[in-house]
Amino acid sequence: MARTCPSRVVLHRIGARWTVFVVNALEPGPKRFVELKTHIQGITPKVLTETLRTLERDGLVLRTDHEESPPRVEYELTALGRSLLEPLRAVRLWAEAHVPEIQAANAAAVARGR
Amino acid sequence: MARTCPSRVVLHRIGARWTVFVVNALEPGPKRFVELKTHIQGITPKVLTETLRTLERDGLVLRTDHEESPPRVEYELTALGRSLLEPLRAVRLWAEAHVPEIQAANAAAVARGR
DNA sequence: TAACGCGGTATCGAAAGCATACCGTGACGG
DNA sequence: CCGTCACGGTATGCTTTCGATACCGCGTTA
């Protein structure tokens, strides 16, 4: 668990606020910028751009500019990106399964006077 | 994938920078504040406190102040917290397995002139 | 009685996130 | 030919969070 441990860096990337949502959104297949933006409700274009650029640098996402008019840019998962889907699905399923417990815990904490 | 979707909130929590490390550090059993701080190299006391308080509110971690002298406070995972270990382990293993590919992708991106 | 260890706060500057507005290009309608 | 629109972003400014460093109150111990 040293600061320099590379897996720490990787986990830091994965832990970045929006990567999980972007990768999940790309699961069914390639998507365009605007599609991603509307699918992941609440993300701003700036943050989406940054997230996609980071994922591209890390080799998880492939960006294809078709150089057409009107512009068409598609983002899709690479093999590496798809390999991340399985562990992420486990986390997402956990989250969905345990939302009630967490909300109950929060409510209890508030009731105790937070 | 609405903004209000509770699983989004939960994933946001999990995505917080240090939760993964704290939960993993608590896997073997209860730990004291200083133990956690030295084990998770690089975390500052402030951030560790905040992370632990959040995990406590969410019902993932139990804080036990033994009211002794010298002070002894122990943190341990609840059943809910332990249930998170399995999905997190999957993500950690993925990270460890794919570090070389990600580093290679980064190096390639740099070589292309970033 | 002075120094130390524990479990934290306090303070301040840096970085990341977010909302909002805007832009260049080329298609398209009239 | 001229105004408008969609796409894929960028620019700007503000708020929240992160991070580094310093410090504190208490009780124990030397």
Side-chain angles (χ1 to χ4, degrees):
Chain A
M1 268 299 172
R3 308 174 224 51
T4 57
C5 174
S7 72
R8 278 237 331 222
V9 178
V10 172
L11 283 172
H12 216 254
R13 282 281 212 294
I14 295 174
R17 293 264 120 88
W18 294 100
T19 39
V20 178
F21 300 109
V22 172
V23 171
N24 268 325
L26 287 175
E27 174 160 16
K31 278 205 170 47
R32 303 173 61 170
F33 189 86
V34 173
E35 285 180 295
L36 284 171
K37 192 160 70 67
T38 55
H39 185 83
I40 308 171
Q41 228 174 0
I43 196 170
T44 64
K46 182 190 173 198
V47 173
L48 180 55
T49 302
E50 289 169 356
T51 304
L52 287 169
R53 294 283 185 274
T54 302
L55 289 172
E56 197 190 353
R57 269 205 314 280
D58 288 345
L60 297 171
V61 159
L62 180 66
R63 177 183 186 275
T64 309
D65 186 342
H66 293 273
E67 311 268 9
E68 297 175 0
S69 291
R72 189 160 66 93
V73 178
E74 280 188 326
Y75 294 93
E76 62 186 310
L77 293 176
T78 63
L80 183 57
R82 277 192 301 277
S83 76
L84 180 57
L85 281 171
E86 194 181 339
L88 283 194
R89 183 160 41 238
V91 172
R92 204 188 62 229
L93 290 177
W94 184 93
E96 287 167 5
H98 294 91
V99 159
E101 296 174 66
I102 291 179
Q103 288 183 331
N106 269 284
V110 170
R112 279 198 310 276
R114 290 292 177 102
Chain B
M1 269 299 172
R3 308 173 221 54
T4 57
C5 173
S7 73
R8 277 235 334 221
V9 177
V10 172
L11 284 172
H12 216 255
R13 284 278 211 294
I14 294 174
R17 294 263 119 87
W18 293 100
T19 39
V20 177
F21 300 109
V22 171
V23 171
N24 268 325
L26 287 176
E27 173 160 18
K31 279 206 169 47
R32 303 172 61 170
F33 189 87
V34 174
E35 287 179 293
L36 284 171
K37 191 161 70 69
T38 54
H39 186 82
I40 308 172
Q41 228 175 0
I43 195 170
T44 63
K46 181 193 171 197
V47 173
L48 180 55
T49 302
E50 289 169 355
T51 305
L52 286 169
R53 294 283 185 275
T54 302
L55 289 172
E56 199 190 352
R57 268 205 315 279
D58 288 347
L60 298 171
V61 159
L62 181 66
R63 177 184 186 273
T64 309
D65 186 342
H66 293 273
E67 311 268 7
E68 296 174 1
S69 291
R72 188 159 66 92
V73 178
E74 281 189 327
Y75 294 93
E76 62 186 311
L77 293 176
T78 63
L80 184 57
R82 276 192 300 277
S83 75
L84 180 57
L85 281 171
E86 194 181 340
L88 284 194
R89 183 159 42 238
V91 172
R92 205 188 61 230
L93 289 177
W94 184 93
E96 287 168 4
H98 294 90
V99 159
E101 296 173 66
I102 291 178
Q103 288 183 330
N106 268 284
V110 171
R112 280 197 309 275
R114 290 291 175 105

